[in-house]
Amino acid sequence: MRGGLAVLVLLGLVALASPWLAEPALRAGLRLAGVEDLHFDRLSIGLARAELSGLRLGPAPGQEAARLQADYQLGGLLQGRLESLAVEGLRLRGRLAGDGIELAGVARTEETDEGALRLPLLPERLVLRDAGLELTTPAGALSLPFEMEAETDGQHARFRLRASQLRLERADGAVGGRLEIAGSLPLEDGAFRPGGLDARGEAQIEAEGVEVPDLAQGIDASARIAAVADQGRVIVTAHELKAQADEVSVSGASLSAAEAHLEGSATLELSPEGALSALRGTARLGLAGRQGGIAGLTADGLRVEQSFDVAA
């Protein structure tokens, strides 16, 4: 990858002397670097800025970007640095695997022995507009339109991400919402260290008609979620948790004509290793309906309130 990048930089310098050679120079550089699935419509290169439009990577539908604009200084470019990179109309498509996200036609980011993530070219400022992530997951098809801004100062990368129309299409219903995350990652020798993540985020989540196998069906739910990550430790709190189900099952028996209402809040803490270290909160459960399937149980007016505090 680094050898291919050097080839592209050198060919770019040649193209600067003759701007009309920019497109053929880049296409030749891609061939020399062994990149066969990357295509573009138009390229322009200047002394301090390059613009690329109609970028496509991988087999269709693959990864796409309507427009990229890179600002740079030639000395920094030779050292693998960009002053800024702005991307419009980015579309990322792939699947959620057991060991992370796989994007069609995109190799995994280089990881160092210490678990840090290294990028071949690092912009001092990154702006993503009208971006979208589409993933196939075990839970269904995830669509995440988003915008992001990030800046680096040599020691940290600070970022802010906003997504206003998150949606997960499931076989039994759908989950949607919006979220906003802001934080920073330590940066050392051009490599990110995810274990040092410091971030805060908020989300509003709503579910329509989903089910929990062997427990409830026709669930409509909503919650406001806040999360804090500090040096690998994660705290997630769900506020204003509300849920309603059309059918509830208890020990295999069904309250088919009942409605269940759940209100409450919960906080969970995860250790840097990802293990659950604490879980606490309150829950209020109410059942209302006509006739159930548990020895003729009538569920009208039943209400249960419980607090819980579990430490690992």
Side-chain angles (χ1 to χ4, degrees):
M1 180 64 182
R2 293 186 181 279
L5 178 61
V7 170
L8 294 180
V9 170
L10 291 174
L11 287 172
L13 294 176
V14 172
L16 289 176
S18 304
W20 58 88
L21 294 178
E23 287 192 22
L26 179 56
R27 297 184 194 278
L30 292 173
R31 288 194 295 271
L32 289 175
V35 180
E36 299 180 354
D37 290 334
L38 192 150
H39 308 277
F40 62 93
D41 294 337
R42 186 176 180 181
L43 169 68
S44 63
I45 293 181
L47 291 174
R49 172 174 293 178
E51 295 187 11
L52 186 68
S53 62
L55 180 67
R56 302 174 299 281
L57 176 62
Q63 322 308 323
E64 300 177 357
R67 178 174 174 269
L68 289 85
Q69 177 180 300
D71 294 324
Y72 48 80
Q73 293 182 357
L74 294 181
L77 188 62
L78 290 172
Q79 297 176 15
R81 296 198 312 271
L82 293 175
E83 287 188 348
S84 67
L85 177 63
V87 184
E88 297 179 4
L90 178 67
R91 296 293 180 269
L92 301 175
R93 302 178 177 94
R95 69 185 188 94
L96 182 62
D99 57 348
I101 295 176
E102 294 182 356
L103 301 177
V106 179
R108 290 290 182 91
T109 303
E110 179 184 349
E111 183 171 324
T112 68
D113 294 337
E114 296 79 17
L117 301 178
R118 187 181 302 279
L119 299 178
L121 198 62
L122 185 63
E124 295 177 4
R125 184 169 188 266
L126 172 67
V127 178
L128 303 182
R129 294 281 184 256
D130 185 28
L133 176 65
E134 300 174 7
L135 291 179
T136 301
T137 78
L142 174 66
S143 174
L144 180 65
F146 69 95
E147 295 188 345
M148 189 180 80
E149 299 175 0
E151 293 184 350
T152 62
D153 59 9
Q155 295 182 332
H156 295 85
R158 296 176 176 84
F159 65 91
R160 180 178 296 274
L161 182 146
R162 295 175 294 271
S164 58
Q165 296 180 330
L166 179 154
R167 190 164 183 85
L168 176 65
E169 294 287 350
R170 296 165 48 102
D172 56 346
V175 177
R178 59 183 183 274
L179 63 87
E180 182 168 342
I181 303 172
S184 67
L185 276 170
L187 184 63
E188 184 177 340
D189 296 329
F192 297 100
R193 300 192 177 278
L197 174 66
D198 180 6
R200 295 177 179 271
E202 292 188 354
Q204 180 70 37
I205 304 296
E206 298 181 353
E208 304 171 358
V210 300
E211 68 176 61
V212 178
D214 301 323
L215 180 60
Q217 297 181 1
I219 301 173
D220 294 337
S222 64
R224 183 168 60 88
I225 299 174
V228 176
D230 182 10
Q231 298 298 314
R233 181 169 169 263
V234 179
I235 302 176
V236 180
T237 302
H239 302 280
E240 303 173 9
L241 173 61
K242 298 180 181 180
Q244 175 178 314
D246 295 333
E247 181 175 328
V248 179
S249 299
V250 181
S251 300
S254 174
L255 299 174
S256 59
E259 286 187 351
H261 300 266
L262 176 66
E263 298 180 0
S265 62
T267 298
L268 64 86
E269 297 184 16
L270 302 177
S271 69
E273 294 76 26
L276 179 65
S277 58
L279 175 64
R280 57 184 177 273
T282 60
R284 294 175 295 278
L285 173 65
L287 294 176
R290 298 193 299 274
Q291 189 80 14
I294 307 176
L297 172 66
T298 299
D300 288 331
L302 177 62
R303 186 173 180 83
V304 179
E305 183 169 345
Q306 180 67 48
S307 297
F308 53 90
D309 192 339
V310 179

